[in-house]
Amino acid sequence: MCTNIVYEWLKTLQLKQYAESFVDNGYDDLEVCKQIGDPDLDAIGVAVPHHRRRIHEAVRRLKEADETAAGLYFTLEPQP
């Protein structure tokens, strides 16, 4: 299996056993992973309830990180 960002993400969640199945089902990028719901976890084969909770919590954190970053911006124009 090749190492990618989803593998590393799952590894930090101690769920790397699902990495190949994630990639096989098209979840090869964290942007795509942010859309994961229960039907997706069923298709991927994540049946263990606490594994599902761990993934849902991690997806929530990814979305929150996006919301925080969305408020940050910069401009190259001089300030008055």
Side-chain angles (χ1 to χ4, degrees):
M1 167 183 315
C2 66
T3 300
N4 70 14
I5 190 73
V6 174
Y7 173 82
E8 294 299 326
W9 179 63
L10 289 168
K11 187 174 156 183
T12 64
L13 300 174
Q14 298 178 342
L15 297 172
K16 66 183 178 183
Q17 68 268 31
Y18 297 112
E20 188 172 347
S21 189
F22 265 67
V23 172
D24 288 348
N25 283 279
Y27 295 93
D28 56 355
D29 182 270
L30 290 182
E31 287 301 314
V32 178
C33 289
K34 291 177 192 173
Q35 308 306 315
I36 288 176
D38 283 322
D40 305 302
L41 293 179
D42 291 339
I44 292 167
V46 182
V48 180
H50 67 276
H51 289 181
R52 293 171 77 95
R53 281 192 302 275
R54 205 177 307 166
I55 291 169
H56 281 306
E57 178 63 23
V59 167
R60 184 188 62 74
R61 286 192 307 267
L62 286 174
K63 289 177 180 178
E64 284 177 356
D66 270 1
E67 290 171 8
T68 301
L72 301 176
Y73 66 94
F74 67 94
T75 180
L76 297 176
E77 309 227 350
Q79 296 296 312

